Amino acid sequence: MSTVKQEGDKLTAICKEVSRQHISLYAQASGDFNPIHIDREYAENSEFGDNIAHGMMVAASISELMGVNFGHNWGETGKMKIRFRHPVFPGDVVTTSGFVNKVTQIGEKTLVQCTVSVSRQTGEKVISGDTSVTLTKQ
Amino acid sequence: MNSSINDAEDPSINYSNLLVGNPISRRSYVVDRELVRLYKLAVQDKSRLLTTGSDISKVPLAPPMSISALSLRGVVNDLKIPGGTLHVGQETEYKKPVAIGETLHCEATVSSNNVRGEWRFMGVELKVTDSKGDIVMNGKSTILLPVKSE
């Protein structure tokens, strides 16, 4: 786990390629078999022209980012507010990044607020949002 | 996100009748190793599972976002979400870590339900409790369902 907790600190970024196989696996794991995700013919006739990844599948990397940077504190005190802005297609490479935008001391605890986003290889932001986590003095 | 997919709401559900506070789904799941393995594989999460307990009785914890995914499973199935539905927003608050093997109770209720143009904007409140009755996660999803063209 890193010691990120200063305003302006960057969180260690995560980069992944999204494949049809991953989307199919996520459908099984989540129980979300919406045809826009898994039915190629259906998706090709939609305005997207192809299958799209589940939003929560892509957003999982934000939680991973926070877990990697803040460990147990994320699962115990983490908050996230995100907006799904654009679809992610099979073959896309997405990068999840973030930075600390505010640190507030509250007694023995430290509230760390971050700005996070997920971008496609084109630079287009597909998810944007805010997260926060409360750190307790060890 | 914007879309104009020509899908209709499921005729077996009258979405207009869903009022604020109405339950959508109430389901229980066991967070087993296979579920977590499949989830981590799907989202390509290669990070080590965090653990709880003492050194000699360490129990691996489920990734927090896998709990969020589980909380939405009942919504997707019980609301019979039609093809073309868009998930546009998500709020999540984690309150307690979840050990693998834990049984979770997931509840979803309507928090808003309005039609604007060809879309139904629905807010869904999510609450997940563990076998002790403790809240492990709260959340809110905003989804857009395509409204059938008249």
Side-chain angles (χ1 to χ4, degrees):
Chain A
M1 197 195 330
S2 75
T3 54
V4 171
K5 54 180 160 181
Q6 302 292 321
E7 290 178 10
D9 280 356
K10 285 185 180 176
L11 308 182
T12 309
I14 296 170
C15 189
K16 298 175 182 182
E17 182 171 350
V18 175
S19 71
R20 290 185 195 282
Q21 187 189 7
H22 291 123
I23 295 171
S24 175
L25 284 169
Y26 191 83
Q28 294 171 54
S30 67
D32 183 351
F33 295 95
N34 187 323
I36 197 65
H37 303 304
I38 55 165
D39 185 329
R40 201 159 176 171
E41 189 180 338
Y42 175 96
E44 283 173 356
N45 290 312
S46 74
E47 79 157 282
F48 298 116
D50 198 350
N51 293 117
I52 59 173
H54 302 73
M56 291 293 277
M57 171 184 164
V58 181
S61 60
I62 295 175
S63 183
E64 185 183 343
L65 181 82
M66 294 299 290
V68 166
N69 284 278
F70 299 104
H72 279 274
N73 296 291
W74 173 242
E76 294 165 11
T77 66
K79 293 183 187 178
M80 175 171 68
K81 185 174 183 178
I82 53 174
R83 183 173 168 212
F84 300 101
R85 306 172 74 91
H86 294 285
V88 170
F89 300 95
D92 276 351
V93 176
V94 292
T95 301
T96 305
S97 58
F99 64 92
V100 176
N101 64 23
K102 194 173 183 186
V103 178
T104 311
Q105 202 66 38
I106 307 168
E108 293 285 289
K109 298 179 178 178
T110 307
L111 175 66
V112 181
Q113 293 168 279
C114 304
T115 298
V116 294
S117 65
V118 182
S119 302
R120 294 175 67 211
Q121 66 280 4
T122 56
E124 179 182 51
K125 274 187 187 176
V126 295
I127 301 177
S128 60
D130 301 300
T131 56
S132 70
V133 62
T134 302
L135 309 179
T136 309
K137 237 179 206 172
Q138 297 298 312
Chain B
M1 284 172 64
N2 194 14
S3 177
S4 59
I5 295 173
N6 292 321
D7 286 282
E9 294 176 331
D10 189 312
S12 66
I13 292 185
N14 189 337
Y15 295 94
S16 302
N17 285 350
L18 290 172
L19 305 175
V20 173
N22 282 172
I24 292 172
S25 171
R26 188 170 292 156
R27 294 188 180 218
S28 297
Y29 306 98
V30 175
V31 184
D32 60 23
R33 286 181 182 276
E34 177 55 19
L35 180 74
V36 171
R37 188 193 68 80
L38 190 60
Y39 174 84
K40 282 177 68 74
L41 203 58
V43 303
Q44 304 177 68
D45 180 351
K46 296 182 179 75
S47 65
R48 184 176 55 85
L49 286 175
L50 296 173
T51 56
T52 186
S54 64
D55 286 346
I56 53 168
S57 60
K58 279 185 176 172
V59 180
L61 299 172
M65 201 69 161
S66 67
I67 308 307
S68 308
L70 209 55
S71 73
L72 284 167
R73 182 181 286 194
V75 177
V76 169
N77 290 292
D78 296 339
L79 203 54
K80 297 186 179 174
I81 285 178
T85 297
L86 299 174
H87 187 178
V88 295
Q90 181 66 39
E91 295 175 36
T92 306
E93 182 177 2
Y94 299 113
K95 311 288 276 188
K96 184 182 175 185
V98 174
I100 291 177
E102 179 64 85
T103 299
L104 297 179
H105 309 288
C106 304
E107 292 178 35
T109 53
V110 177
S111 63
S112 61
N113 184 9
N114 304 291
V115 171
R116 277 183 245 160
E118 295 182 344
W119 293 96
R120 178 177 300 283
F121 288 67
M122 191 175 289
V124 179
E125 292 281 349
L126 305 165
K127 184 173 90 170
V128 182
T129 52
D130 64 13
S131 55
K132 291 179 181 170
D134 295 336
I135 295 175
V136 299
M137 193 208 92
N138 285 320
K140 182 184 174 185
S141 299
T142 305
I143 55 176
L144 269 61
L145 296 89
V147 176
K148 186 179 181 179
S149 301
E150 299 297 331

